[in-house]
Every structure is written in C-alpha cells, then in structure tokens.
Amino acid sequence: MISFESDYICGAHPLVLKALTETNMECLSGYGSDKYCDSAKEKIKKAVGIPEAEVEFLVGGTQTNSVIISTMLSDYEGVIAAKTGHISTHEAGAIEYTGHEVLEIPQENGKIAAAVLKEYLTGYFADENHEHMTRPGMVYISHPTEYGTLYSKAELSEISEVCREYEIPLFLDGARLGYGIMSYDTDVTLQDVGKLCDVFYIGGTKVGALCGEAVVFTKGNKPKHFLTSIKRRGALIAKGRLLGVQFDTLFTDDLYFKISKHAIDMAEKLKDICRAHELSMFLESPTNQQFVVFEDEKLKKLQKKVAVSFWEKPDKNHTVVRLATSWSTTDEDLAELDKALS
Amino acid sequence: MISFESDYICGAHPLVLKALTETNMECLSGYGSDKYCDSAKEKIKKAVGIPEAEVEFLVGGTQTNSVIISTMLSDYEGVIAAKTGHISTHEAGAIEYTGHEVLEIPQENGKIAAAVLKEYLTGYFADENHEHMTRPGMVYISHPTEYGTLYSKAELSEISEVCREYEIPLFLDGARLGYGIMSYDTDVTLQDVGKLCDVFYIGGTKVGALCGEAVVFTKGNKPKHFLTSIKRRGALIAKGRLLGVQFDTLFTDDLYFKISKHAIDMAEKLKDICRAHELSMFLESPTNQQFVVFEDEKLKKLQKKVAVSFWEKPDKNHTVVRLATSWSTTDEDLAELDKALS
Amino acid sequence: MISFESDYICGAHPLVLKALTETNMECLSGYGSDKYCDSAKEKIKKAVGIPEAEVEFLVGGTQTNSVIISTMLSDYEGVIAAKTGHISTHEAGAIEYTGHEVLEIPQENGKIAAAVLKEYLTGYFADENHEHMTRPGMVYISHPTEYGTLYSKAELSEISEVCREYEIPLFLDGARLGYGIMSYDTDVTLQDVGKLCDVFYIGGTKVGALCGEAVVFTKGNKPKHFLTSIKRRGALIAKGRLLGVQFDTLFTDDLYFKISKHAIDMAEKLKDICRAHELSMFLESPTNQQFVVFEDEKLKKLQKKVAVSFWEKPDKNHTVVRLATSWSTTDEDLAELDKALS
Amino acid sequence: MISFESDYICGAHPLVLKALTETNMECLSGYGSDKYCDSAKEKIKKAVGIPEAEVEFLVGGTQTNSVIISTMLSDYEGVIAAKTGHISTHEAGAIEYTGHEVLEIPQENGKIAAAVLKEYLTGYFADENHEHMTRPGMVYISHPTEYGTLYSKAELSEISEVCREYEIPLFLDGARLGYGIMSYDTDVTLQDVGKLCDVFYIGGTKVGALCGEAVVFTKGNKPKHFLTSIKRRGALIAKGRLLGVQFDTLFTDDLYFKISKHAIDMAEKLKDICRAHELSMFLESPTNQQFVVFEDEKLKKLQKKVAVSFWEKPDKNHTVVRLATSWSTTDEDLAELDKALS
C-alpha cells in the first residue's frame, strides 16, 4: 500500500541520515553549543540574507509555536491568527496552555487579509473598554497555510505594514516553508520572508528531517535568556547536534530547496492525475498538500490501496481528503495512485 | 448629573451596609469560617431548593468565572461559550491565563442555541483528529446575557440536556441573575437554574452588594480541596465575613429579589420613556440593561446631563449605548432622563 | 470569649465604615477610576514622600503578592524569599500558580541577611550551568516578617544595595506595615521603605480595612497595561470605590498610623502580662504578633476563655501559639487575658 | 582531546542508528501510532514484567518530568523532591512553569530517606492551617540520583510504603536508569522499580539513543487523554517512529542493559585510575557519574587534554568535577585519561 497521508510518513532524507551517521562518534558538547549547530546557523542566515539574524533550533512545530509566541508576548497580550490557523484549532490549546489567548479573525482559504487585520486592530483600539480585553501583541500567519495556499508578496507586504503601523511583530509559521518557496505559483522568496517578518521558522520535520524546526529572529529581537526559557518549557534537548547536523545538511548545496522542489513537481503531477480522473479539488493549492473531494463510495475503494488523510465532510455523501507529496514521493507512487483511481 | 452607566455605580443597598455596621465589632474567624457565611449558605441553599447544594463566596465576576472554570476543567479541556460571552471578550483573557481555551460558538443576541451546541460537540467527536484539539469540557452561558437577554425555560432545558448527553457540566454566569429571575418576561426561576445547571453563581456586586458572588454547586460536585485552589489563585479573602454578612442580608426577607424587581420596574419605565422619545432599541432586552441607538449629535447632548456606557458603533453617525437600572435607580432619575431627552 | 486569634477578627475601623456609609449613594465610575481612589493615591504618595510614585489597590495579600511578582518578573525569572516567607509556605503555591519559582534562602527569625542574599546571587552567576537554572529576578521580604520581627534601617539598606548591584528589584510585603512603622523598636520609616524598595504594599486588611492593599511602585516601574494584567488575574473589582474610600480614610489625619500605634501599645502591654505570668516567648517580636510557648495543659485551659492561633509544636508537651493585637484590641481584652492566665 | 564531559557527548549507539537507517523509507503513520512504537512498548512491558503497564515515549528528560508531574498532580498539589533533585534546581523552573510547586525536603548524597519523607507528610497533615499550603501530591526521586548514588531495594521499598500510606504516587526519574540497574553495587532490578513505583521512565538520551525517554505507568494510571495533554505541552512529535525505532532496538537482545553494563565497567576502571593517582572522590558513586576533587592547578593541566564537567567549588583552591562514562567510552579513552593524570 502506498501513502499520501502526510509529508512526514518517511524518516529523513538519505543525505540527512548519512550526515548523522558520519558524525555519530564525534564527541560534542550538549544543548546546541556544538559546531554543527553553529555551522547550520551560519548557512541559514546566509540563505535568509540577514547576517545579523539569530537562529535557534527546536524539535517540532507545536513546540515552536508555543515557545515563540509565549516568549515574545507580554503578559497582557494575545496573538492574532486566522480561525483556521494551526494554533487556533489543531494544537490542543498549546498557546492557551502558556496563558495567552489566540485572537481569531476571519480568513479565506486559510489566509488572513491585511484589511481584515487592520479592521480588527482599529476596532480594538477604538473600543473605550479595550483595557478590559486581551491586547493584540503579535500576528501569526502560516505560509503555506493549513490549506496549502500561499500569500503573494504584495499580500505579505501589506500585512507586514499593518504590523509595523501598530508595532506588533509578525510571526510566520513555516512548518512547510520549503514547499511554499519552491511553488510554481509564488513570488515570495526566503529573503522576502526574512525582510517582512519579525520572526519565522523553517520547518524540518515535514521537509526531510527526522525532527526539527529552525527559528529565525530577523531584527535582533531574540528573547533575552532564551535558552532558560526553552529549558523551562521542556523544549531543550541534550544532544543539540541532532538538530544541528540535520539543518547543516539541509542547507548544504541547497538540499532543502531541491527536495522541496521535488515535492512540488510531484504535487503538480498529482493534480494532473486528479484532473484526468475528473476529481474535484476542494480548493486551488499551489503547494504539496492537495485537498480532493471524493464521493464516499469511490473513496472507500481508493483507501484499500492508497492511504490519505481525512479532512472534512462537506456533505453527507462526500468527503474531503488530503493527499500530500514530499521529498520521498516517487513517480511509482503516482503511477500507483493513477491506477488506483481508475 | 445622573447616571445610568452601570448597575454598580452606587455602594451597597442600605440594609447590607447596616448589617456590616451592626456586626462590625464581633470577633469572627477568618477565611469564610464564620457564622454569617454559614447562615448565608443555608439561606441560599433554601432559596435554590437544593439542600445538598454547596455554596462558596468569591469577590468578583471575572474571578469567579476563572476559579470555577479552571478548577472544574481537566487539563486537556476547554470551555464552550458564545462568541459574545463575557469570558470570550471582556475579561482580558482570564480563562486563558489559567491555561484553558475558550471554544467560541455562534450566538444570537448573546444566547447560544442547543442545536448549535450539539452540532459543535458532534463535529468535535466526529473529527478523526480530535485528540489533537482541545476537548470540550464545560458549557458556559450567562443569564441574563451580556445583551440583557434571557433563556426561556425550554431553551435552558434543551442546553442542559445536550450537556448531560455529552457528560459535560453546564455553568451559568449569574452576575446579574436577580434581574433575570425578576424579569416580567421569563419563566425561569432560581430553582430551575439549580435543577438545570451543574454550577452557577448568584451575583452580588451588580445586585446590591459592595462585592461578592455566591457560587452554587448543585450536584455534590464542588472541586476537592477547593479552599486551597481558591487560595493559590489569590482569591481567598481574610475577612470572609465581608461576603457572608452581605449575602446573609441579601437572602433575608427576599431582599435580593425585591431589589432586583425594583430594577426591572425601573427598566420597564425607562423603555417607556425611550419609546416616547421614539428612540430605537438595539435589541429587545427584558432585564435591567437597555441598549439604545442614538444619533451621535443627540447622544453628545444627552451625555452632558446623563452618564451612559458606550457599547458599539453600528455606523458612522450612530452609537449604541447601554443604560442600566439597578436597586438604586429612582423615579427622579427617570424623570431627569426624560427631561434630558426632550 | 475574647480573641487574640489574629489582626483580622473584627470588621473595619469605625471611621472607615463611616466613610463607606457616607459615600454610599454617590454615583461613581467603576474599576478604580473614581475620585476616592484618586484622593487616596495622592495621600499615600505624600505619606511615602515620593510624588512620582504610582499607587494601585488590590483586594488581599496573597493576591497582591501574586499580581506584583508575576507582572514584574520576566519569563525566565524567579523570586528570592526566606524559607519562612509567606509566599514560600502559606499561600498554597500562589506564586508557582503564575508559573514562577520561589527561590528559598536561609533566614533567621523570618529575616534574610544581605550577606546570605549576596552569597546566593554570587553563587548563581558563578555556576557555569546557571542558564539551566531559574534566574533570580526579584527579592521578596516581609516587614514585619511572618514572626513579627523587623529589619533595621541598616539591614534594609544593605539588602537594597545588593539588589541594586545585581539590578534586581526589591519587593517588600507590607501586609502589616503599619505595625512595623509604629513599633517602639524600629528606625525604619514609611519614607525609608519608599526609598529602599522598588515596590511595596501597605496592608489594609490587617490594619483596619475590610479588605484592600495599596501597592506603591516607587521608581516609575509600574508594569505596562497593569489594569489588563490585573483583570486577567481576576483581581480587578467593579466597585473600586470600596478600596479607594477605605484607604482615603486610613490616610486622612494619620488614622493608619494612629491605629497601628494603638495595636503596638496593646502588644507591649500583652508582653508585660506574659512576663508577669512567667510565660516564655518563642522569640522577641517588636510588633503586634506575639509568639508564646505554652505547656499544653495550660494552653487547653486558656483556650476555654481566649481564642489564639496555633503556630507550631516545639516538642511533645508544648505548643507555640500566636496572640495578635490590632486596632480593635481593648484594655478590657487584656484584662480578661490576664485573668484567664491566672 | 578526549571527553568525559557527560554521557551524551556521542550520537546514538551504532545499532540504534542502523535501525533508523534500515526503517527509514518505510511509510508509517505519525504521532506514535506506528508498529515500531507498538513493538517497543511490548518489549518494555515484558522487561519490566508488568503486562498491563502503559508505555509512552517523550523526547527529553525535563520534558518528561514536566509532562508526568503536571498531568498527574491535581490543581492544588505539589511534588516532593530532594533539594538536590533535578526538578528542584537544574530544570530552570520547568515544574513551576506548569503551575506546580516543588516541595523540597532534605537529602543525603542526592537521596531522600523514608523517615524524612514521612516526617514531612506527618507535619503537613498535623498543621492546622495546611489547607493554606500546597498539598503534597507526588514524590519524585531520581535513580541514579544527580550524584550517581543509588537507593537500595530496602530504601526504595520504605519510600514506596510511605507513599502508599499517604496515597501519593511515587515517580522515579530514570534518565540514567540503565546505569543504576547494571551497577555492581545494587540489589534493585528493573522489575523492582516497576513494582515499587507508580510511574517511572527509562532514559534513552543518556543511554544510547539520539533522544527519547520511555515513560511507564505501572498501575493503569496513565492520565486520561494523555495524547491531548502531551500535544498541548508541545511535546508530541510528528515522526513518533524516531522514538519507537530507537527503543525497539534498545530493548532487543538486552542492548539497553549491555551498553549500560559497559559504561559501569568503564566507570569502575576510571575509579581505579583515580585511586591510583591518589585523587579524592567527592562521594562514593556506584554508577557512571564520578565526582572527583581536584586541586585547581592540577585540574587546569588536565583540562588541556580531557574534557570534564564543572560541578562545584568546595573551597578556594579545589574544584569538584564530574567524569561520566557511557556506552561509547573506550579503554583507549581511559588510557588517555591515565596518561593525562600522570
């Protein structure tokens, strides 16, 4: 049985595993103070194009969202996010666990609009009782979004501008950032993300690593004593090398971008196959996650041969499922899918 | 200048103050262990009609919401509330401060519908990934709501039934409960509230006390070691008598209900005055809070003589304001208002 | 039966109650924005001798400790306190509830020494792994301490100096500050406290108020958006006047100091009585709390006529109890005690 | 340069890495639902000798302590630990971050005594004001302790008995459990740990894994909806296989115990070398962590060739350092150390 269930069904990209193996017996200090972490940080800063950026590694996506948001917000602040944002719905209340409110605003296809954001902020400050309400202290967006969609450079710039007007940092969740950057249909580069955001992360778990996310603070704004804050959230690992070696490899010879590109190529072919089988797409996604509407009977048949992810039920007889490609998807997988759909 | 700004503009009902004065020099033990607390609890249990109920006193509304919700929820649970619920918007993230998510659902005029609640719960449990989402662990409603509206007995019963079906406690925020019970337009009694809810509170601050809310656990469900939990939230006061004496007075000779009735009588007269001046009501409120739409020019004139509360701006030239009556509103106040509107 | 159980056995000083009664029917805005709060703040600033100080009112002691400590500490910081400090032992983990560690250091008779404090801080920064430990971010002392003892001006100055050297704010818990200031055996004035501490509070609950503590930020260091932070901790009361009127009265015509002085006079007489009956004092306390060692048999007899507080058992046959005087203690009470001890 | 800095200086044991490589391209579901997690759990339950035990995997030690303690404690409870316990001092306040107090009790060489524990618990319940104090809700011990020492079976049984008498769960931090079990000087088996503790974990990070700890609930006491609680603490990783494959390998053919035994053999040889060089041991440690007292001059010389860990300064001219062996320590390393000490 083949699987398009997610982009984390396989282990690590072979080159990542090779690097872990080759460095395995080296004696290194713990907690991220090793040379591979240092090297990976340098490579990432270069790729982002901000020499003075500060980079830190964490283990997973929810952890990263929780650590960044809770260390950057002040006590009285909350974080604005789309109603469909990962932190709003699928992280089991991880932000609230840190004591902070997620201030949900309307979205379209997973994206928030600068105008909607501005309206929210204007409304907050115009309310005479706003000191009795959670103060907005950060804007969270995901790129690609939970629906695989992307912000255009213009859209991202507008959101960034609103944030600057209100002096609120913009945080971009890049759990799948590689797939966004390498989409056929984007004008947003990694450098743009660095310029327009105050903090963001480059996802490893879903783009070729066993685990790991690289957080980038772009404006000398890394929280003070960040290591202590990470530690007390249980998010500091002893063998920091595990993250350092992986990101060092991913950012050597553009591996991160090459494998992201591969996943995009595979996704475009997958879309062709869906079209050929006259399947209806739930929405237009230019990245590696594709949302397809199936008649329930047809889906049941497919699932005997292909693993996919349940997304939602638009009506009684149909189901939206997600098919994700990744660095590990092969042409053979696609051929099997094609056959299974026939 | 007269004021309809809120129902907490004056001190305490004179009889409450008299009792505080008369008992002032008695030596009593602290932390709620005095005889006035005991007596008040007995009277409240009798009024609610549940001899085995457990009653505790807290200082204010937000504190009460925060203490009840955070001690009754399990770690992995959140509380369902209307998007307009006090805990959702006007308590500065007090529930999130305790680590728990407020799960907002749609509302109408401040009220949630049993069908909407059921749909939410069904959807949660049907989602194959629901273990990655905050589990609903309580339903919060306010009665009267933040818009002064009331649930009918049938509506409340339906919500209560959904809660029982899903084994989730129903919590009723009764910061203004007296005004709800004594409305001309309700079939819900205090005994009904006791029967249909798992926990609720009888508001003192907005109904004649200097401060204080009486929490009622109706089903032997008071959290274990509740005093310790209250203490560590900074919510335990040394002179528990301050709350005990006040509630003992409010529940002697039906004072709580009589002064609530007075506020309702005043509110009905206020509505008549508004109608006479052809003012448009923002919505139909059967309780002591009235929401009136004003042309901005007219409002500015009024505010020179009468204090009211800003609520929201429905459009550029109009403002919705709240006028609240209370136990302290007089016929003279209403006459002044009438004059000011002319 | 007479009571020396605590300094919060009676209601409010009659003048406080009178002021609450006289202002009862005035219409005032809520949440501390009324004229009595304003007036009380001015009077307190004058008494402290710091015109630019910022004053806020909260309801009780544990709440005040919790609000101040948690809003002034950074995420990665904890608060240093004596092992016997109120926040260390008798507040049910209220500081930990806010996510922060209490860093306990050794004490003597409830007091910490500047040298011990300095040793702790030096040790922390000398430890090569200190980033893996909670960073000390505040020093908490109580004055009078939990044992009724007092810091001398020299001791307080030394502690303050260490704090400044390490750039850590000094917070003084003054739940019983009046009794400290008016002790026969102190050279510390209210102005000294203001000069030497970064933040402190003037206790009302135990010095003549029904409830209430007045927090004083002495260096323009009131946390930003403090009202929002108070609100989300459930510590903001609607009728802020309740606190404003009380403190306005307490700081009119030196009432706070006069009634504190009365309690001290009574305590000195109480000590004389104990001496006359050849009772052994657990330690030398120059304030209103006296700790007396009783043979258990003798204590049992006393408790039939006089209420006292259990403190600890130094051995099998003895018990230490606390006898507290206050503004409400009378010469008749002392005479009764004398008789009961015979 | 060779290193005895810690037991986490190298990557993973080669067999662990081999298993990760061999399973790398298998498509597996996420979040711990894969067959390797299942298999590892079965093997661990068998090794512990409790078929009905429940096993869960987490990433690191601090995270594991924080997740277990905060999900097993009730709101009003704290955890008892030695003053030198890892959670008390070296986890940057991770337990307090979850809102709970660490109740420190005296220790000797890192160990608490059943009698001291019992005295603490007796004292708590005898105190008439104990409801104003954090209720003890769990006992935390580490085995080996932070000083490398071990509890005897008799000591562990006595502590377990006190816990049962007070109905408080006993939690054993086994970050280095393998080294404890395989010590030459212990009568405590893995099965004993299972029988005597309510919950414990088998450390992977420090015993041959890249990362990972296996938590064992021995009495059907795994917290309800544990996955949701893990997720909201940011502690759930997408590729659960990373932990499953590693523990599956460690518990195949007794690898975990064999490599632990190797580290112990190396530690005994290391002790012989220290003795031969007439070095003074800070305390007697029967496990892989050895604490050696050095004259500062001598230490400086050594550190040019051998990496060790700073522990503490017993006086001006001496330093205690830690030398740790592990699965990766070789006879060559020891020979180098011997030479460097000459």
Side-chain angles (χ1 to χ4, degrees), chain B residues 40 67 71 85 90 95-97 110 113 122 125 132-133 146 151 172 186 239 267 285 312 316:
Chain B
V67 169
T71 53
H90 285 100
I95 303 309
E96 288 82 4
Y97 182 73
T122 312
F125 287 105
H132 292 254
M133 299 160 72
E146 294 71 19
Y151 290 90
L172 184 146
T186 186
K239 295 184 181 170
S285 158
E312 62 183 74
K316 261 197 170 173

Side-chain angles (χ1 to χ4, degrees), chain C residues 140-207:
Chain C
Y140 165 97
I141 55 173
S142 39
H143 181 87
T145 68
E146 294 71 18
Y147 286 100
T149 53
L150 290 173
Y151 290 89
S152 70
K153 190 169 167 178
E155 289 169 337
L156 209 55
S157 301
E158 279 168 35
I159 291 173
S160 181
E161 227 165 278
V162 175
C163 287
R164 271 155 220 210
E165 187 186 337
Y166 284 88
E167 296 181 358
I168 288 174
L170 177 59
F171 165 37
L172 185 145
D173 172 339
R176 293 183 168 96
L177 189 53
Y179 304 132
I181 300 298
M182 302 312 291
S183 168
Y184 294 179
D185 199 23
T186 187
D187 58 351
V188 176
T189 65
L190 183 60
Q191 292 78 11
D192 293 331
V193 170
K195 257 178 239 148
L196 297 169
C197 299
D198 298 274
V199 57
F200 69 97
Y201 68 96
I202 302 169
T205 305
K206 286 156 183 166
V207 193

Side-chain angles (χ1 to χ4, degrees), chain B residues 109-286:
Chain B
N109 291 336
K111 289 159 61 179
I112 60 170
V116 172
L117 173 63
K118 178 145 189 175
E119 193 191 334
Y120 180 86
L121 288 165
T122 312
Y124 172 80
F125 287 105
D127 191 318
E128 291 181 12
N129 301 312
H130 71 258
E131 288 275 324
H132 292 254
M133 299 160 72
T134 299
R135 192 179 180 89
M138 180 182 253
V139 173
Y140 165 96
I141 55 174
S142 40
H143 181 87
T145 70
E146 294 71 19
Y147 286 100
T149 52
L150 291 173
Y151 290 90
S152 70
K153 189 168 167 179
E155 288 169 339
L156 208 55
S157 301
E158 278 167 35
I159 291 173
S160 180
E161 228 166 277
V162 174
C163 287
R164 273 156 219 207
E165 187 185 338
Y166 284 88
E167 296 182 357
I168 288 173
L170 176 60
F171 166 36
L172 184 146
D173 173 339
R176 293 183 169 97
L177 188 54
Y179 304 132
I181 301 297
M182 303 312 290
S183 167
Y184 295 178
D185 199 22
T186 186
D187 58 351
V188 175
T189 65
L190 183 59
Q191 292 79 8
D192 292 331
V193 169
K195 259 179 237 148
L196 297 170
C197 299
D198 297 275
V199 56
F200 69 98
Y201 68 96
I202 301 169
T205 305
K206 287 157 184 167
V207 193
L210 285 169
C211 62
E213 321 293 313
V215 185
V216 184
F217 297 95
T218 62
K219 307 211 165 69
N221 54 342
K222 189 176 86 164
K224 274 169 64 174
H225 302 296
F226 197 49
L227 187 130
T228 310
S229 288
I230 293 174
K231 178 93 180 188
R232 78 193 216 93
R233 282 160 176 81
L236 189 67
I237 59 172
K239 295 184 181 170
R241 69 196 291 156
L242 171 57
L243 305 175
V245 169
Q246 292 188 90
F247 273 99
D248 192 50
T249 309
L250 288 170
F251 279 82
T252 298
D253 295 335
D254 288 335
L255 179 62
Y256 188 75
F257 302 102
K258 285 176 189 161
I259 66 181
S260 296
K261 170 77 164 53
H262 172 79
I264 294 294
D265 291 344
M266 293 292 115
E268 292 297 327
K269 287 184 186 174
L270 187 151
K271 281 200 265 188
D272 289 343
I273 291 169
C274 290
R275 267 180 227 116
H277 291 279
E278 293 182 352
L279 289 167
S280 147
M281 306 309 271
F282 184 56
L283 49 71
E284 263 315 298
S285 158

Side-chain angles (χ1 to χ4, degrees), chain B residues 225-233, chain C residues 91-92, chain D residues 75-77 124 130-135:
Chain B
H225 302 296
F226 197 49
L227 187 130
T228 310
S229 288
I230 293 174
K231 178 93 180 188
R232 78 193 216 93
R233 282 160 176 81
Chain C
E91 296 189 344
Chain D
D75 175 76
Y76 44 82
E77 293 178 334
Y124 173 80
H130 70 257
E131 289 274 324
H132 292 255
M133 299 161 72
T134 299
R135 193 179 179 89

Side-chain angles (χ1 to χ4, degrees), chain C residues 3-210:
Chain C
S3 172
F4 289 90
E5 206 182 339
S6 76
D7 34 22
Y8 43 88
I9 47 170
C10 283
H13 187 277
L15 287 176
V16 168
L17 209 50
K18 189 165 163 263
L20 284 173
T21 306
E22 286 173 359
T23 61
N24 190 54
M25 296 309 292
E26 289 181 33
C27 292
L28 298 172
S29 281
Y31 306 109
S33 61
D34 62 275
K35 64 183 176 188
Y36 294 105
C37 283
D38 289 348
S39 166
K41 288 177 184 185
E42 285 313 308
K43 288 175 185 170
I44 287 171
K45 287 195 274 185
K46 212 169 155 189
V48 176
I50 307 181
E52 69 277 17
E54 294 155 299
V55 180
E56 294 288 334
F57 302 112
L58 288 163
V59 173
T62 299
Q63 181 178 88
T64 303
N65 287 332
S66 151
V67 169
I68 290 180
I69 292 171
S70 66
T71 54
M72 291 188 71
L73 288 183
S74 289
D75 174 76
Y76 43 84
E77 293 177 335
V79 57
I80 295 174
K83 221 181 142 42
T84 52
H86 211 246
I87 58 168
S88 307
T89 52
H90 285 101
E91 296 189 344
I95 303 310
E96 289 81 3
Y97 183 72
T98 73
H100 294 283
E101 187 173 355
V102 179
L103 303 160
E104 297 178 2
I105 64 172
Q107 52 78 42
E108 216 166 319
N109 290 337
K111 290 161 61 179
I112 61 172
V116 172
L117 173 63
K118 178 145 188 174
E119 194 192 332
Y120 180 86
L121 288 165
T122 313
Y124 173 81
F125 287 105
D127 191 317
E128 292 181 13
N129 300 312
H130 71 258
E131 289 275 325
H132 292 255
M133 297 160 73
T134 299
R135 194 180 179 88
M138 179 181 256
V139 173
Y140 165 97
I141 55 173
S142 39
H143 181 87
T145 68
E146 294 71 18
Y147 286 100
T149 53
L150 290 173
Y151 290 89
S152 70
K153 190 169 167 178
E155 289 169 337
L156 209 55
S157 301
E158 279 168 35
I159 291 173
S160 181
E161 227 165 278
V162 175
C163 287
R164 271 155 220 210
E165 187 186 337
Y166 284 88
E167 296 181 358
I168 288 174
L170 177 59
F171 165 37
L172 185 145
D173 172 339
R176 293 183 168 96
L177 189 53
Y179 304 132
I181 300 298
M182 302 312 291
S183 168
Y184 294 179
D185 199 23
T186 187
D187 58 351
V188 176
T189 65
L190 183 60
Q191 292 78 11
D192 293 331
V193 170
K195 257 178 239 148
L196 297 169
C197 299
D198 298 274
V199 57
F200 69 97
Y201 68 96
I202 302 169
T205 305
K206 286 156 183 166
V207 193
L210 284 170

Side-chain angles (χ1 to χ4, degrees), chain D residues 113-323:
Chain D
V116 173
L117 173 63
K118 178 145 188 173
E119 194 191 333
Y120 180 87
L121 289 165
T122 312
Y124 173 80
F125 287 104
D127 191 318
E128 292 181 12
N129 301 312
H130 70 257
E131 289 274 324
H132 292 255
M133 299 161 72
T134 299
R135 193 179 179 89
M138 180 182 256
V139 173
Y140 165 97
I141 55 172
S142 39
H143 180 86
T145 68
E146 295 70 19
Y147 286 100
T149 52
L150 291 173
Y151 289 91
S152 70
K153 190 168 166 179
E155 289 169 339
L156 209 55
S157 301
E158 277 168 37
I159 291 173
S160 181
E161 228 165 279
V162 175
C163 287
R164 273 156 218 208
E165 187 185 338
Y166 285 88
E167 296 183 357
I168 287 174
L170 176 59
F171 165 37
L172 184 146
D173 172 338
R176 293 183 169 95
L177 188 55
Y179 305 131
I181 300 298
M182 302 312 291
S183 167
Y184 295 178
D185 201 22
T186 187
D187 58 350
V188 175
T189 64
L190 184 59
Q191 292 78 12
D192 291 332
V193 170
K195 258 177 237 149
L196 297 170
C197 299
D198 298 275
V199 58
F200 69 97
Y201 69 96
I202 302 170
T205 305
K206 286 155 185 169
V207 192
L210 285 170
C211 63
E213 321 293 313
V215 186
V216 184
F217 296 95
T218 62
K219 306 210 167 71
N221 54 341
K222 191 176 86 166
K224 274 168 67 174
H225 303 295
F226 196 48
L227 187 131
T228 309
S229 288
I230 293 174
K231 177 93 181 188
R232 78 196 215 93
R233 281 159 177 80
L236 189 67
I237 60 171
K239 294 183 182 171
R241 66 196 293 155
L242 170 58
L243 305 175
V245 168
Q246 292 189 91
F247 273 99
D248 192 49
T249 308
L250 288 170
F251 279 82
T252 297
D253 296 335
D254 289 335
L255 180 61
Y256 188 75
F257 302 102
K258 285 175 190 163
I259 66 180
S260 295
K261 170 78 164 50
H262 172 79
I264 293 296
D265 291 343
M266 294 290 115
E268 291 298 327
K269 289 182 186 175
L270 188 150
K271 281 199 265 187
D272 289 342
I273 292 169
C274 289
R275 267 181 228 116
H277 290 278
E278 293 182 351
L279 289 168
S280 148
M281 305 310 273
F282 184 57
L283 48 73
E284 265 314 299
S285 158
T287 59
N288 75 314
Q289 298 184 88
Q290 297 299 325
F291 300 87
V292 189
V293 188
F294 278 93
E295 239 216 332
D296 285 351
E297 280 311 302
K298 191 156 186 180
L299 178 60
K300 219 178 276 177
K301 207 188 110 199
L302 176 73
Q303 286 179 310
K304 282 176 192 154
K305 296 182 182 158
V306 182
V308 297
S309 268
F310 170 88
W311 212 251
E312 61 184 75
K313 283 205 69 65
D315 63 51
K316 259 198 171 172
N317 307 314
H318 292 80
T319 302
V320 179
V321 296
R322 185 188 66 180
L323 284 85

Side-chain angles (χ1 to χ4, degrees), chain C residues 147-148 267-268 270-271 274 281-292 320-325:
Chain C
Y147 286 100
E268 292 297 328
L270 187 150
K271 281 199 268 189
C274 290
M281 304 310 273
F282 184 57
L283 48 71
E284 263 316 298
S285 158
T287 59
N288 75 313
Q289 298 184 89
Q290 297 298 325
F291 300 86
V292 190
V320 179
V321 297
R322 185 187 68 180
L323 284 84
T325 63

Side-chain angles (χ1 to χ4, degrees), chain A residues 13-309:
Chain A
H13 186 277
L15 287 175
V16 168
L17 209 50
K18 188 163 163 265
L20 285 172
T21 306
E22 285 172 0
T23 60
N24 189 54
M25 296 309 292
E26 290 180 32
C27 292
L28 299 171
S29 280
Y31 304 111
S33 61
D34 63 275
K35 64 182 176 188
Y36 294 105
C37 283
D38 289 348
S39 166
K41 289 177 184 183
E42 285 313 309
K43 288 176 184 168
I44 287 171
K45 287 195 272 184
K46 212 169 153 189
V48 175
I50 306 181
E52 69 277 16
E54 294 155 299
V55 180
E56 293 289 335
F57 301 112
L58 289 163
V59 172
T62 299
Q63 181 178 87
T64 304
N65 287 333
S66 151
V67 169
I68 292 180
I69 292 171
S70 66
T71 54
M72 292 188 69
L73 288 183
S74 289
D75 174 75
Y76 45 83
E77 292 177 336
V79 56
I80 296 174
K83 223 183 142 39
T84 53
H86 210 246
I87 58 168
S88 308
T89 52
H90 285 101
E91 296 189 344
I95 303 310
E96 289 81 3
Y97 183 73
T98 74
H100 294 283
E101 186 174 355
V102 179
L103 304 160
E104 297 178 1
I105 62 172
Q107 52 79 42
E108 214 166 319
N109 292 336
K111 292 159 59 179
I112 61 171
V116 172
L117 174 62
K118 178 145 188 174
E119 194 191 332
Y120 181 86
L121 288 164
T122 313
Y124 173 81
F125 288 104
D127 191 318
E128 291 181 12
N129 300 312
H130 71 257
E131 289 274 325
H132 291 255
M133 298 160 72
T134 298
R135 194 178 178 88
M138 179 182 257
V139 174
Y140 165 96
I141 55 173
S142 40
H143 181 88
T145 68
E146 294 71 17
Y147 286 101
T149 52
L150 292 171
Y151 289 90
S152 70
K153 190 169 167 178
E155 288 168 339
L156 209 55
S157 301
E158 280 168 34
I159 290 173
S160 181
E161 227 166 276
V162 175
C163 287
R164 272 155 220 209
E165 187 185 338
Y166 284 88
E167 295 182 0
I168 288 173
L170 177 58
F171 166 36
L172 184 145
D173 173 339
R176 294 184 167 96
L177 188 54
Y179 304 132
I181 300 298
M182 302 312 290
S183 167
Y184 295 178
D185 200 21
T186 187
D187 58 351
V188 175
T189 65
L190 183 59
Q191 293 78 10
D192 292 332
V193 169
K195 258 177 239 148
L196 298 169
C197 299
D198 298 274
V199 58
F200 69 98
Y201 68 97
I202 302 170
T205 305
K206 286 157 184 168
V207 193
L210 284 170
C211 63
E213 322 292 314
V215 186
V216 185
F217 297 95
T218 63
K219 307 212 165 70
N221 54 341
K222 190 176 86 165
K224 273 170 65 173
H225 302 296
F226 197 48
L227 187 129
T228 309
S229 288
I230 293 175
K231 177 93 180 187
R232 75 194 217 93
R233 281 159 177 81
L236 190 66
I237 59 173
K239 295 184 181 171
R241 68 197 290 156
L242 171 58
L243 304 175
V245 169
Q246 293 189 89
F247 272 100
D248 193 48
T249 307
L250 288 170
F251 279 82
T252 298
D253 295 335
D254 288 337
L255 181 62
Y256 188 75
F257 303 102
K258 285 175 190 162
I259 67 180
S260 295
K261 170 76 164 52
H262 171 79
I264 294 294
D265 291 343
M266 293 291 114
E268 291 299 325
K269 288 182 186 173
L270 188 151
K271 281 199 266 189
D272 289 343
I273 290 169
C274 290
R275 267 181 227 114
H277 290 279
E278 293 183 349
L279 289 167
S280 147
M281 306 309 273
F282 184 57
L283 48 71
E284 264 315 298
S285 158
T287 59
N288 75 313
Q289 296 185 88
Q290 297 299 324
F291 300 86
V292 190
V293 188
F294 277 94
E295 239 216 335
D296 286 350
E297 281 309 305
K298 192 155 188 182
L299 178 60
K300 220 178 277 178
K301 209 186 111 200
L302 177 72
Q303 286 179 309
K304 284 177 190 153
K305 296 182 182 160
V306 182
V308 298
S309 268

